[in-house]
Each structure stands twice: as C-alpha cells, then as structure tokens.
Amino acid sequence: MSPRYANVSEREQEPPSLAISTVIFALRPDPETGVLTLWLPLVRRIRQPYLDLWALPGGPLRATESLQDAAARNLQETTALTPRYLEQLYAFGGPDRSPSPRVVSIVYWALVQPDEAALARQDENVAWFRADRVGALAFDHNHIVDYALWRLRNKLEYGSVAYAFLGSTFTLAQVREVYEAVLGRALDPANFRRQLQASVHIEPTDDYLQGGRHRPPRLYRYTGPDPRESSFPSQRREATEH
Amino acid sequence: MSPRYANVSEREQEPPSLAISTVIFALRPDPETGVLTLWLPLVRRIRQPYLDLWALPGGPLRATESLQDAAARNLQETTALTPRYLEQLYAFGGPDRSPSPRVVSIVYWALVQPDEAALARQDENVAWFRADRVGALAFDHNHIVDYALWRLRNKLEYGSVAYAFLGSTFTLAQVREVYEAVLGRALDPANFRRQLQASVHIEPTDDYLQGGRHRPPRLYRYTGPDPRESSFPSQRREATEH
DNA sequence: GTGAGTTAGAGTCAGCCTGACTCTTACTAG
DNA sequence: CTAGTAAGAGTCAGGCTGACTCTAACTCAC
C-alpha cells in the first residue's frame, strides 16, 4: 500500500500520511468477578509493521468524508459498531511512532451502550479486552489508550458522558455503577442520588425496573443536551456536517 | 505549490494534505479604554485562496519534526514568537473547509506573556487583533478562533493556565486582571485573593511592586506544575519528545 | 507636612454543597 | 411470615462561596 524507502533521505521526502483511529469503550461485567468494568475492542494487525499484535481499529481518510465520518466508517467496517457517542481525542504525529512511512493519526474515542456492544463482531482478528489489561499493543497505542482513559475520567466529572453508556431509561444505581467502573472507586449511594437529582439533566419516569431481587428501583430518562456537545455550540456542527 | 485539478473526480484521488496552524493569545491593554483584553496575531494571505484576507499563522509539517515542533517553528517563522505555553487544540478536517486541494489542519494554541508579545514582528502582513473583533478570516478560521476562546475560558476555570500570561513574579491583582479579561466579567478582589491563596500553586516572595500610585502590592511566584501539563503525565512527553 | 484618595489585604457572616451517616419503605427468597 | 437487601428520604457538621466591612499603607495635591 505505502511505498517503502531504502534510506532516510528518501523517507524525509515523503509527506506524512494520515490515518484515523478510534478508542472504543464499553462497560460489561467482568466474567470472573461480575463487577462492571471498562472494555475495549482491538483488531489484530494482519500486515507489517507489528504483524499479529493487537491495535486500535482505524484506517485511511477518504477524500469526501469528514474526519468524524471516517472514524465512524472505519469503526463500522472493522468492528460492526455504530456508537452514538463519537468525539475527537487527539492527533498523534511524532515522527518515530511508526517505522518506515510516517503516519499522523487523528484519534477519536467512542462510547457504546451494552446492547450496541453485544452486536459487535468478534472473531480471531477482533476481540474485547479489559481496559486495564490490554497488554502490549502496536505502535504507540498503549499510550493512546491511557490518554483516552484519562480523558474519559476527566469528562465524567465534568458532565453527562455517563449516559452514553446507558440505554434510554436507567436506574440511578446503574448510573452510579458507570461512575464506579470508570473512576475505579465506590461512591456513597445516597449522596450520589442526591447529586444526580439536583442536576437538571435527568427526569423520573413512571416505570420501575422489575425482576430484581429487591425493591424495584424507579427508571429515569436523560433529558440534557446530546452528550457529544461539549457545550461549545458549533463544535458538533463542524464535526458532523462537513 | 499544491496542484490544482480540473474536476471533482481528480480531486478525490488526491490524499488530503496536512498543515499546522496556531491560535496565539496575549493580553494587552486596549489602546482606547486601557482595559486589559485578549489579542491575537494574524497573518495576511499572500496567495490564493483567500488572497489578502487575514488568517491564522501556519504552515506544513516537515518530515522529522513532531506536530508541536512544527507549530513552534511556524510560529517563529511567521511572527517571531516563541511562546512558553503551546498545546494542541483540535484537528479540523472537513472536506469543504478549503477550496481545491483538501487540507486537514492540526491546530495548536499558544499563550504568550506581555514581554514576549512585545517582541513579535509586526508589518503589513502580520498584525494584532482584539480576539472579539477579528473580522472575517480566511478558511474556517473564525470558527477555530471561537473554539480556541471557548477552550481558553474553560481551561482557565480548571487550573493554572492564567500564569502562562504572566511573568515569573506577579501581584494577585494581575492574576485577577487576567481572569477578568478572559472571562469578560469583574471579580470580587477580596474573594479572589482568598481563593488564590488557598490554592497551593502559588507562594509569596519578599518583594513588592513599587512605582504604583498606591500601597505597593506583594509579588508572588507560581510554583505549581508546568501549565502545559494537563495533569496527564505522559501527554507532554509525547508532544515534545517525538 | 498633612489630608484626601486609592488599593492591598484581612476579616465577618449567611447560604449552599459535600461526605458520613441513619432511618424507613418496598420488594424477593425461603 | 420472616429475614435480607436495596431504594430512597432525611440529618448534621464542615468547608467553600459570594457579599460585605474594616484597617493598613502608599502617593499625590495642596
């Protein structure tokens, strides 16, 4: 695909090529402990460099699509996922992050709901890993995953990202589970409830979640702005329209 | 420099080219009112498209430099500025943001101290504008400036960016002026002082700012982490080392 | 040199939010 | 019917915030 060069001076002539990658997060119960934890899908490299190592899904940018559209398409093609939450993370472009032809990667991050995640393709070349146990990845992808985790935790405190992990209705305890899984520590249920109810972005429904072993909790609905809008109005426009 | 194409199908073959641009902010007193306000330098376009319109300083990415190094070099070449604070803002890559060859821009933002800003080149092709009165810019640069402003205000509340506008020592009133200029509203001096002193990132010196018309204020020194570190440890490493 | 003017900087106080904790309600499992 | 558990409401002390007052320290005008 990309030409290889015999020496450095030739390589320096080549303009850096552009790629789009995505870090996808989903919450699922750990199969051993049952505790809700963060997982992400990775794809196996089927060519050099880093043949057979796991890497973030990604691909090239086509001429007529926006950066965000390219991320969504690559995601669809490699993992069959179409997450509702998709946002730019960072552009990584150090000259040494890839051997041979230099690649600048514009990385997006996505959050998927459990039912979406269940539809994801899984085969010998696509698999899910616990976010804190991904092992050694291709390129600088370990660094990228760490950075995405940091951003996720930050953004969680800031606002409304948590609902991107949940369905259209949810119990307050489920929201708390999301926070606990992402932040990695337990939260006081009573205080958490009080804070959530004080925020305006949530409203109770008349339904209750039946079938549990205990008192059925009330279901709530998220009514705030689209979690993708980082409260900078035209940001989403640029990202999706162009 | 970049080839032009006669029709769309040819254009679609061309891989998008990459450019680095920077939004530079400095605080200076408004020449009319004397109030401290946000200013930024712009460069005049000396070629098509958007010939003669003002635009953000920028240029290509060279083969052996990191994204951040490219931003710093372009800054130096176009405005003679070498800001201490330089951080990635966003990658803009909509297919319609530039006529003819498609350009993906990785945009950085910089904060400069008043003495640094005074050294900036100014001629018929480089001039400073008040951040809220830049007029119509080339490409989507108005949108980019708005986004940078939004990020600056956000980041100000978050932490320690304010000190990037100030010298090595400063009075508490100067810090307050920075906040007032960026946020665009007055702050209570007494309460602001209390909050600053509560934060650990600042320590008093034994010096006082002489020469004012009134009681000389004590000078302080910033002792917190490098403002560029967004408290994600390896972030700065990636940006500068590679 | 003296008083007016101005800013530096400390202090007060009520209201809000927070974490830690208790108590009641409402369901399921046996 | 009883025990167990989670839902959900409430209490209370401490910290932070905004609004405000008061004193200290300097310069300038006269």
Side-chain angles (χ1 to χ4, degrees):
Chain A
M1 190 182 207
S2 305
R4 305 292 294 275
Y5 295 94
N7 59 50
V8 174
S9 65
E10 270 187 277
R11 176 185 160 189
E12 285 181 3
Q13 304 302 319
E14 179 79 342
S17 67
L18 200 57
I20 313 285
S21 298
T22 310
V23 185
I24 306 143
F25 288 121
L27 287 174
R28 35 172 67 185
D30 187 295
E32 296 167 18
T33 66
V35 181
L36 211 61
T37 42
L38 268 178
W39 293 71
L40 72 169
L42 297 172
V43 300
R44 193 194 300 271
R45 298 274 307 164
I46 55 173
R47 65 183 63 181
Q48 292 293 356
Y50 296 106
L51 178 66
D52 275 341
L53 276 189
W54 295 97
L56 296 171
L61 171 68
R62 290 186 184 161
T64 55
E65 64 191 354
S66 72
L67 301 178
Q68 172 141 348
D69 291 345
R73 179 183 52 75
N74 280 319
L75 225 59
Q76 173 65 39
E77 290 173 1
T78 52
T79 66
L81 281 167
T82 54
R84 291 193 322 175
Y85 184 97
L86 184 59
E87 196 187 17
Q88 195 180 109
L89 177 68
Y90 200 78
F92 297 86
D96 304 325
R97 55 188 298 271
S98 163
S100 229
R102 178 175 180 184
V103 178
V104 171
S105 287
I106 298 179
V107 180
Y108 276 73
W109 61 304
L111 307 181
V112 297
Q113 302 175 358
D115 53 331
E116 290 178 312
L119 300 173
R121 179 190 315 148
Q122 291 194 51
D123 54 36
E124 58 171 323
N125 290 327
V126 182
W128 288 78
F129 294 79
R130 271 190 59 163
D132 53 350
R133 296 181 194 166
V134 290
L137 304 181
F139 305 105
D140 54 355
H141 288 188
N142 282 97
H143 175 235
I144 296 178
V145 168
D146 288 343
Y147 182 58
L149 269 171
W150 174 81
R151 270 276 284 272
L152 173 60
R153 297 204 175 98
N154 257 43
K155 202 124 193 185
L156 195 66
E157 298 172 5
Y158 191 73
S160 46
V161 219
Y163 305 107
F165 283 117
L166 297 167
S168 55
T169 62
F170 44 81
T171 69
L172 297 187
Q174 286 173 334
V175 183
R176 181 169 49 84
E177 277 187 299
V178 172
Y179 272 78
E180 290 181 339
V182 173
L183 297 179
R185 62 187 163 93
L187 300 171
D188 183 292
N191 295 333
F192 187 80
R193 147 183 314 279
R194 183 181 38 180
Q195 286 173 16
L196 273 197
Q197 283 173 330
S199 98
V200 205
H201 301 312
I202 205 175
E203 79 182 7
T205 70
D206 291 333
D207 298 328
Y208 294 80
L209 180 63
Q210 304 292 343
R213 272 189 302 276
H214 314 293
R215 170 176 174 176
R218 182 185 286 272
L219 288 169
Y220 289 77
R221 182 185 296 116
Y222 177 68
T223 60
D226 187 324
R228 276 170 303 186
E229 304 224 14
S230 319
S231 72
F232 177 68
S234 42
Q235 179 58 21
R236 206 184 59 82
R237 266 195 22 243
E238 196 281 337
T240 56
E241 276 186 5
H242 289 190
Chain B
M1 191 184 211
S2 306
R4 307 290 293 274
Y5 295 94
N7 58 51
V8 175
S9 66
E10 268 188 281
R11 176 183 161 192
E12 286 182 2
Q13 303 303 320
E14 180 78 340
S17 67
L18 199 57
I20 312 285
S21 299
T22 310
V23 185
I24 306 143
F25 289 121
L27 287 175
R28 33 170 71 183
D30 186 294
E32 298 165 19
T33 66
V35 182
L36 211 62
T37 42
L38 267 179
W39 293 71
L40 72 169
L42 297 172
V43 299
R44 194 195 298 274
R45 297 274 307 165
I46 54 172
R47 64 183 64 183
Q48 293 291 357
Y50 297 105
L51 178 66
D52 277 340
L53 275 190
W54 295 97
L56 296 172
L61 171 69
R62 290 186 185 161
T64 55
E65 65 191 353
S66 73
L67 301 178
Q68 171 141 350
D69 291 344
R73 180 183 51 75
N74 280 320
L75 226 58
Q76 173 66 39
E77 290 172 1
T78 52
T79 66
L81 282 167
T82 54
R84 293 192 322 177
Y85 184 97
L86 184 58
E87 195 188 15
Q88 194 179 111
L89 178 68
Y90 200 77
F92 296 87
D96 304 326
R97 54 188 298 270
S98 164
S100 228
R102 178 177 181 182
V103 178
V104 171
S105 288
I106 298 178
V107 181
Y108 276 73
W109 61 303
L111 306 181
V112 297
Q113 303 175 359
D115 52 332
E116 289 178 311
L119 298 174
R121 180 191 314 150
Q122 291 195 52
D123 55 37
E124 57 171 323
N125 290 327
V126 181
W128 288 77
F129 294 79
R130 269 189 59 162
D132 52 351
R133 296 181 193 167
V134 290
L137 304 181
F139 306 106
D140 55 353
H141 288 188
N142 282 99
H143 176 232
I144 294 178
V145 169
D146 288 344
Y147 182 59
L149 270 171
W150 174 81
R151 270 275 286 270
L152 173 58
R153 298 204 175 96
N154 257 43
K155 201 120 192 186
L156 194 66
E157 298 173 5
Y158 191 73
S160 46
V161 217
Y163 305 109
F165 284 116
L166 297 166
S168 56
T169 62
F170 44 81
T171 70
L172 297 186
Q174 287 172 335
V175 184
R176 182 168 50 84
E177 278 188 298
V178 172
Y179 273 79
E180 290 180 339
V182 174
L183 297 179
R185 63 187 162 92
L187 300 171
D188 183 291
N191 294 334
F192 188 79
R193 149 183 313 277
R194 185 181 37 180
Q195 285 173 17
L196 273 197
Q197 284 175 329
S199 98
V200 204
H201 301 311
I202 205 175
E203 80 182 7
T205 70
D206 291 334
D207 298 329
Y208 293 81
L209 180 62
Q210 303 293 343
R213 273 188 301 276
H214 314 292
R215 171 177 174 179
R218 184 185 283 271
L219 288 169
Y220 288 78
R221 182 185 297 116
Y222 177 70
T223 59
D226 188 324
R228 278 169 302 186
E229 304 225 14
S230 320
S231 72
F232 177 68
S234 42
Q235 177 58 21
R236 204 184 61 81
R237 266 195 23 244
E238 195 280 337
T240 56
E241 277 187 6
H242 289 192

